[in-house]
Amino acid sequence: MRRPIIAANWKLNMLRQEAHDFVVAFLSELNNPTQDASLDIVIAPPFTALDATRQALTASNVALAGQNLSFESSGAFTGEISAEMLRDAGCRYCIVGHSERRSLFAETNTDVARKVRALLEADLQPIVCVGETLDERESGRDQAVLAAQLDGSLEGLEPEDTRNLILAYEPVWAIGTGRTATPEQAQATHAFIRNHLRAGPLGDQAKTLRIQYGGSVKPDNIRTLMAQPDIDGALVGGASLRPDSFARIVRFDQPENTPS
Ligand code: PEP
């Protein structure tokens, strides 16, 4: 049984006061999430709002994540943040290899693999993102692209690392576009990812790997996505910026008039 994990990726948004106010409103929407042991909830603020978010989350079971890190542990790397610094700031997770970092900041699979290693060594859990572009999907190259991303980004991983690893399938064409993969498309790709890792570095441990879907997840599509057997959670961008909408997502809410 894989425990669901829903994560908010705030990207380049939220000043400290806004992060504080979000958490207060979100926790009150959820009605005491300390009692809810049925899923993991994670928030990834920008670095500058980590501490304000951590303080507001005290006494809840909502965990903190970084959005990025350096694979270096210390030294002359101006502007960088290490895994140990993230742990020191109260993080339990960190997003790695998001498509925005791959496409806008030239992050390679080799960089991602080094970041994954740095996080695991610091006892943090990487949320490793993979996903194909629209062109790659429409030309039938999606599985080859995903396989190369998985092999490169997870290079050196051992089966026992699985319990500290989260994977996020985020089709690039669905991120921030309002266009979501259908539950069937997402399920087929999640099954492909799991089978690929099962045949490769993770072996049978791949059955226990949690794979999130990301790409225009909203309150009105979360339930059908989560009903798919290989979808174990969601990585949420735009819809995680409002406490009411993120609360509805973690409750798998549907609008009242939508048949379930
Ligand atoms: C993301 O950036 O990880 C993401 C899934 O964004 P959105 O939910 O806005 O598509």
Side-chain angles (χ1 to χ4, degrees), residues 83-97:
E84 193 184 352
M85 288 170 182
L86 288 178
R87 189 156 46 76
D88 188 45
C91 293
R92 198 183 306 163
Y93 302 88
C94 183
I95 300 168
V96 213

Side-chain angles (χ1 to χ4, degrees), residues 7-11 95 98-100 129 168-180 213-218 234-241 249:
N9 176 12
W10 284 352
K11 310 191 186 189
I95 300 168
H98 191 281
S99 67
E100 287 153 14
C129 304
Y169 167 57
E170 299 209 303
V172 177
W173 45 273
I175 297 179
T177 59
R179 182 176 170 181
T180 322
Y213 169 79
S216 299
V217 171
K218 299 194 175 57
L235 181 54
V236 188
S240 75
L241 291 172
I249 289 172

Side-chain angles (χ1 to χ4, degrees), residues 65-143:
Q67 295 179 17
N68 182 33
L69 79 158
S70 169
F71 45 70
E72 300 290 351
S73 56
S74 66
F77 301 101
T78 302
E80 295 296 298
I81 297 279
S82 72
E84 193 184 352
M85 288 170 182
L86 288 178
R87 189 156 46 76
D88 188 45
C91 293
R92 198 183 306 163
Y93 302 88
C94 183
I95 300 168
V96 213
H98 191 281
S99 67
E100 287 153 14
R101 295 222 57 87
R102 291 178 187 265
S103 66
L104 303 174
F105 300 97
E107 195 161 287
T108 64
N109 288 325
T110 307
D111 297 332
V112 176
R114 292 179 73 184
K115 292 181 181 195
V116 168
R117 181 54 45 210
L119 286 166
L120 291 173
E121 280 169 8
D123 276 333
L124 293 177
Q125 301 191 37
I127 299 176
V128 182
C129 304
V130 294
E132 80 286 357
T133 63
L134 190 58
D135 178 51
E136 287 161 350
R137 174 166 279 261
E138 288 182 343
S139 59
R141 287 178 291 138
D142 48 329
Q143 293 195 346

Side-chain angles (χ1 to χ4, degrees), residues 27-252:
L27 294 181
S28 105
E29 290 267 352
L30 283 190
N31 251 336
N32 194 3
T34 49
Q35 302 305 314
D36 184 358
S38 60
L39 85 168
D40 290 330
I41 306 171
V42 181
I43 297 180
F47 293 136
T48 49
L50 277 173
D51 202 50
T53 309
R54 180 191 61 77
Q55 287 184 38
L57 287 174
T58 306
S60 81
N61 67 347
V62 179
L64 204 59
Q67 295 179 17
N68 182 33
L69 79 158
S70 169
F71 45 70
E72 300 290 351
S73 56
S74 66
F77 301 101
T78 302
E80 295 296 298
I81 297 279
S82 72
E84 193 184 352
M85 288 170 182
L86 288 178
R87 189 156 46 76
D88 188 45
C91 293
R92 198 183 306 163
Y93 302 88
C94 183
I95 300 168
V96 213
H98 191 281
S99 67
E100 287 153 14
R101 295 222 57 87
R102 291 178 187 265
S103 66
L104 303 174
F105 300 97
E107 195 161 287
T108 64
N109 288 325
T110 307
D111 297 332
V112 176
R114 292 179 73 184
K115 292 181 181 195
V116 168
R117 181 54 45 210
L119 286 166
L120 291 173
E121 280 169 8
D123 276 333
L124 293 177
Q125 301 191 37
I127 299 176
V128 182
C129 304
V130 294
E132 80 286 357
T133 63
L134 190 58
D135 178 51
E136 287 161 350
R137 174 166 279 261
E138 288 182 343
S139 59
R141 287 178 291 138
D142 48 329
Q143 293 195 346
V145 167
L146 289 167
Q149 286 180 356
L150 290 166
D151 294 346
S153 304
L154 302 181
E155 182 156 15
L157 221 69
E158 303 288 339
E160 58 269 24
D161 293 322
T162 313
R163 72 191 152 84
N164 291 321
L165 179 74
I166 321 287
L167 219 87
Y169 167 57
E170 299 209 303
V172 177
W173 45 273
I175 297 179
T177 59
R179 182 176 170 181
T180 322
T182 64
E184 295 74 23
Q185 280 174 325
Q187 164 56 28
T189 308
H190 281 227
F192 166 77
I193 290 171
R194 199 180 300 288
N195 286 335
H196 184 80
L197 294 175
R198 195 171 171 193
L202 302 189
D204 273 350
Q205 287 300 318
K207 285 192 255 174
T208 65
L209 177 72
R210 295 189 288 177
I211 309 178
Q212 297 176 313
Y213 169 79
S216 299
V217 171
K218 299 194 175 57
D220 61 3
N221 59 25
I222 184 69
R223 187 178 294 184
T224 45
L225 287 163
M226 291 301 293
Q228 305 303 312
D230 283 290
I231 299 184
D232 308 310
L235 181 54
V236 188
S240 75
L241 291 172
R242 284 197 14 225
D244 56 335
S245 111
F246 191 52
R248 288 181 58 203
I249 289 172
V250 305
R251 290 191 307 247
F252 306 173

